[in-house]
Amino acid sequence: MKTVYANTRKRKLTQWGVAVSVILGIGLFVLYIILQDAGYRVLLYIASFCLFQGALFYGMYKLKAYEIDDEEDTITDFDSKKYPLHISQLKSATYKESKKGRFRSLFLHDTGIGFMDIHTSKGKADQIVSHLLRLNPDIEVKHANYL
């Protein structure tokens, strides 16, 4: 059974929103190049830069999804389907937290050199860890407060 843990519930809506923001950012940058008035050029440049970069970073975070396959004993993200982590070989799951205790990411490490850094919310990380612990109870769960 395959279970997908995504950072967004409405994937298509997020994809469309990111695409529209990127296109709008590129359009504002084209206006920046075309217009010669100095006052508007700075505003157009800042707006295009913020829209374009903001949409890309927002899209990279929100469109991330992780898939746990119970039959194949693997966990993958959609960027690296060629190199899955085998759940039976996982050694540790580390919650990376800031010094104040704010959750940053979940880091999975296997017995060899394989690893996966999962950037998601604390609730999704808890769901992923509980699913992994059901499949492999030998996984050591740690907390690291060094960021």
Side-chain angles (χ1 to χ4, degrees):
M1 181 172 101
K2 293 182 181 182
T3 308
V4 176
Y5 295 97
N7 284 345
T8 183
R9 291 184 191 165
K10 299 176 181 172
R11 189 168 179 83
K12 286 288 186 191
L13 182 64
T14 305
Q15 286 174 340
W16 278 102
V18 168
V20 167
S21 296
V22 166
I23 291 169
L24 188 60
I26 292 171
L28 288 176
F29 188 72
V30 168
L31 280 177
Y32 160 75
I33 292 172
I34 293 172
L35 293 179
Q36 298 299 322
D37 189 10
Y40 290 114
R41 284 181 60 111
V42 173
L43 289 175
L44 287 174
Y45 180 77
I46 292 172
S48 68
F49 181 78
C50 290
L51 272 173
F52 187 75
Q53 292 291 327
L56 287 181
F57 284 115
Y58 179 78
M60 284 191 303
Y61 173 75
K62 282 301 215 182
L63 295 175
K64 227 21 171 164
Y66 304 93
E67 181 179 285
I68 297 177
D69 191 349
D70 297 347
E71 284 88 26
E72 292 185 18
D73 189 44
T74 59
I75 179 171
T76 59
D77 60 349
F78 289 125
D79 294 338
S80 62
K81 283 231 181 233
K82 290 175 21 178
Y83 307 105
L85 279 181
H86 293 281
I87 298 169
S88 60
Q89 296 177 354
L90 284 179
K91 183 176 90 173
S92 66
T94 306
Y95 286 91
K96 290 184 181 179
E97 299 170 344
S98 67
K99 290 182 181 178
K100 295 180 180 179
R102 183 174 178 236
F103 176 76
R104 297 290 183 188
S105 65
L106 178 68
F107 187 78
L108 302 177
H109 194 275
D110 68 1
T111 55
I113 59 170
F115 67 90
M116 183 180 289
D117 203 11
I118 298 176
H119 293 277
T120 187
S121 66
K122 175 89 163 99
K124 289 280 186 199
D126 291 338
Q127 291 175 0
I128 291 171
V129 169
S130 67
H131 191 158
L132 292 174
L133 285 173
R134 270 186 288 147
L135 299 174
N136 182 6
D138 296 333
I139 297 173
E140 180 184 358
V141 178
K142 302 186 233 177
H143 291 270
N145 296 20
Y146 53 84
L147 294 175

